[in-house]
Amino acid sequence: MKNLNILIIEDEAIIAEDIRDMLHTMDYQVAGVINHSEKAMDYLSFHTPDVVLCDIHIKGSQDGITVAETIRKKKKIPFIYLTS
């Protein structure tokens, strides 16, 4: 199902752009790239992507796992964790 709307939460710009490029090459839609936990929480409070690719270690007061746990209490969005 390539009509998935995928959000990328990654604070390393080069990695985020590489992931975005790979997804576009495979004809997936990228909802956006977010590099900070507070920005991710704000975005996800108003939007519901089909899936989120989330780095475990991101900038901000929360890590990626905490962001996912908080959002999953309100919305049933699947998260795939990334780390390098």
Side-chain angles (χ1 to χ4, degrees), residues 2-24:
K2 293 205 176 187
N3 290 330
L4 291 176
N5 194 21
I6 302 170
L7 176 66
I8 302 166
I9 302 174
E10 169 62 63
D11 61 352
E12 294 291 333
I14 293 172
I15 294 171
E17 289 304 314
D18 190 37
I19 293 168
R20 183 197 320 234
D21 289 346
M22 285 188 282
L23 291 171
H24 280 152

Side-chain angles (χ1 to χ4, degrees), residues 3-67:
N3 290 330
L4 291 176
N5 194 21
I6 302 170
L7 176 66
I8 302 166
I9 302 174
E10 169 62 63
D11 61 352
E12 294 291 333
I14 293 172
I15 294 171
E17 289 304 314
D18 190 37
I19 293 168
R20 183 197 320 234
D21 289 346
M22 285 188 282
L23 291 171
H24 280 152
T25 299
M26 295 183 287
D27 294 326
Y28 287 102
Q29 297 176 13
V30 176
V33 176
I34 298 175
N35 64 1
H36 196 277
S37 66
E38 282 78 16
K39 291 178 184 177
M41 294 296 292
D42 185 49
Y43 180 90
L44 291 167
S45 68
F46 294 102
H47 300 89
T48 306
D50 296 309
V51 66
V52 177
L53 302 179
C54 185
D55 187 9
I56 292 172
H57 302 288
I58 56 176
K59 294 176 185 171
S61 62
Q62 300 175 358
D63 63 15
I65 294 171
T66 305
V67 169

Side-chain angles (χ1 to χ4, degrees), residues 24 57 70 81-82:
H24 280 152
H57 302 288
T70 302
Y81 296 113
L82 308 172

